[in-house]
Amino acid sequence: MDKGTVSKALKNGAIWGFIVLELIFFSIAGEFMAITDQAFMDIDNMLLLLKQSAPIGIIAMGMTIVMVNGNIDLSVGATFAIAAIVLLDSMTWPIFAGLGDWVIPVSCLLALASGVFFGAINGLIVWKTGVDAFIVTLGSMLGFRGIVFMFNGENPTSHLNWTLVDFAEAEFLGLATASWVLLLVTLAIWFLMARTVHGRNAYAIGNNREAAVNAGIRVGPHMMINFMIIGFLAALSAVVFYAESGSVNPNDGMLYELWVITAVVLGGTKITGGAGNVIGTFGGVLAIQLLRKGLGHIGADTSTVNLVIGLILIAVLFLDRQLNVKGKEELKV
């Protein structure tokens, strides 16, 4: 095994080593601080962790493609909230009054279509204007969130459909519906990136956009499709989450972009594009959810959790930059 293969294996395995360290640290810390008698991670807690990882994890799979492409999407949290409102509110529209439970697939399709639509807006602007995706999606994050508040002001949008709740709470082989959706999305995006021309083109564009254009790759349409994919997955995440909760607040989804980007980068995807994989992202999602759960286990409040996640993101981005500086033969810290 050559040095490059060993280095790649170590890099890909780093996130799983981090997860093991988290498990050890929070288990010992919980017992030492004697805050709770409950075990930090038993089988039930692990299954719950996977279910709780689904909303962030589903979006993170789409973010992996976008970031491998050399772009980023800061509007995912707002898209998530819009899709949730479309899902719950459309079930009460008079036009669908005679559908009975058939309103469920109709509302789900409308929610998913809204995600694709707003993703297409981001992709089209990035493609046609050439403006950096960070700037475009920063603006759309504010604009989409404005749409959320315009719809119902400060009030939540609520509708509880018990048939939908029963489906969301159902379990198969011990896994909840949300967990299965996360696993299936992970498998689908892995196949897209590892076994299709579209996936290979994503890496090529992320590595060198100009060379990709010279190679005949239609970069603009390709990037637009990826923004539509992440919009779809943000909406799918909302459908999975709000099928069970039945109520969306206008601030829901805020900071999702922080958690998603942290998970993707922690999983080994380069912020500059050209490298990354969904298996690493899956590990990053679990690591972030485990960190949130672990900090809660030892008594940390929400502000502390956000502070720690923010610091981890800064540290990972710094290390990523240092390890990938072109022309440097050794790491300078």
Side-chain angles (χ1 to χ4, degrees):
M1 186 178 291
D2 58 49
K3 183 184 291 186
T5 303
V6 173
S7 176
K8 185 177 180 180
L10 289 173
K11 186 175 180 179
N12 291 338
I15 185 60
W16 304 104
F18 181 64
I19 289 173
V20 171
L21 289 177
E22 284 185 298
L23 288 169
I24 295 172
F25 173 79
F26 287 121
S27 296
I28 295 174
E31 292 181 9
F32 178 76
M33 299 176 72
I35 292 174
T36 177
D37 293 331
Q38 185 180 5
F40 174 53
M41 271 292 148
D42 53 24
I43 185 64
D44 289 334
N45 279 335
M46 290 176 68
L47 292 176
L48 180 60
L49 179 79
L50 184 60
K51 178 182 178 181
Q52 292 172 335
S53 299
I56 297 296
I58 292 168
I59 304 173
M61 297 306 153
M63 188 69 81
T64 303
I65 305 177
V66 170
M67 289 178 62
V68 165
N69 227 173
N71 294 310
I72 201 164
D73 189 348
L74 301 178
S75 67
V76 290
T79 303
F80 173 89
I82 290 175
I85 289 174
V86 171
L87 171 72
L88 299 181
D89 192 67
S90 64
M91 290 186 184
T92 67
W93 291 354
I95 192 174
F96 300 143
L99 291 180
D101 281 342
W102 284 104
V103 74
I104 295 173
V106 173
S107 294
C108 288
L109 287 173
L110 287 173
L112 296 174
S114 71
V116 173
F117 173 74
F118 287 110
I121 290 176
N122 284 334
L124 189 63
I125 294 174
V126 171
W127 171 18
K128 292 300 184 180
T129 67
V131 176
D132 189 87
F134 179 91
I135 302 300
V136 171
T137 59
L138 178 62
S140 60
M141 175 183 71
L142 299 174
F144 296 169
R145 185 64 64 177
I147 293 174
V148 173
F149 278 95
M150 286 170 61
F151 182 82
N152 212 12
E154 299 283 346
N155 300 315
T157 300
S158 303
H159 180 76
L160 201 58
N161 183 300
W162 288 106
T163 302
L164 190 57
V165 171
D166 289 341
F167 175 76
E169 293 182 344
E171 292 188 358
F172 178 67
L173 299 178
L175 294 179
T177 300
S179 301
W180 279 111
V181 174
L182 172 59
L183 293 174
L184 290 173
V185 167
T186 301
L187 179 62
I189 300 302
W190 171 83
F191 181 83
L192 177 68
M193 296 189 69
R195 296 289 185 267
T196 70
V197 173
H198 184 87
R200 290 193 292 272
N201 287 348
Y203 288 101
I205 293 169
N207 272 316
N208 191 322
R209 190 167 298 183
E210 184 177 347
V213 172
N214 293 335
I217 299 174
R218 299 183 65 205
V219 173
H222 175 93
M223 293 192 302
M224 182 173 174
I225 290 171
N226 288 336
F227 276 106
M228 292 168 71
I229 290 173
I230 194 173
F232 173 84
L233 292 177
L236 178 61
S237 175
V239 169
V240 169
F241 184 81
Y242 291 101
E244 186 172 355
S245 71
S247 180
V248 54
N249 290 301
N251 286 317
D252 285 1
M254 282 190 175
L255 294 183
Y256 269 31
E257 47 281 328
L258 169 65
W259 297 338
V260 167
I261 292 169
T262 304
V264 174
V265 174
L266 197 59
T269 298
K270 289 175 60 178
I271 195 74
T272 53
N277 64 84
V278 295
I279 304 303
T281 294
F282 185 78
V285 169
L286 294 181
I288 292 298
Q289 189 61 38
L290 193 59
L291 182 64
R292 294 171 64 188
K293 193 176 186 70
L295 290 171
H297 181 70
I298 61 175
D301 56 20
T302 303
S303 59
T304 302
V305 173
N306 290 335
L307 174 62
V308 171
I309 291 176
L311 290 174
I312 288 175
L313 177 59
I314 293 172
V316 172
L317 290 176
F318 173 75
L319 289 174
D320 177 77
R321 180 182 182 278
Q322 291 293 96
L323 290 169
N324 291 284
V325 172
K326 294 181 179 180
K328 303 286 184 181
E329 296 197 3
E330 61 181 10
L331 178 64
K332 294 183 179 180
V333 181

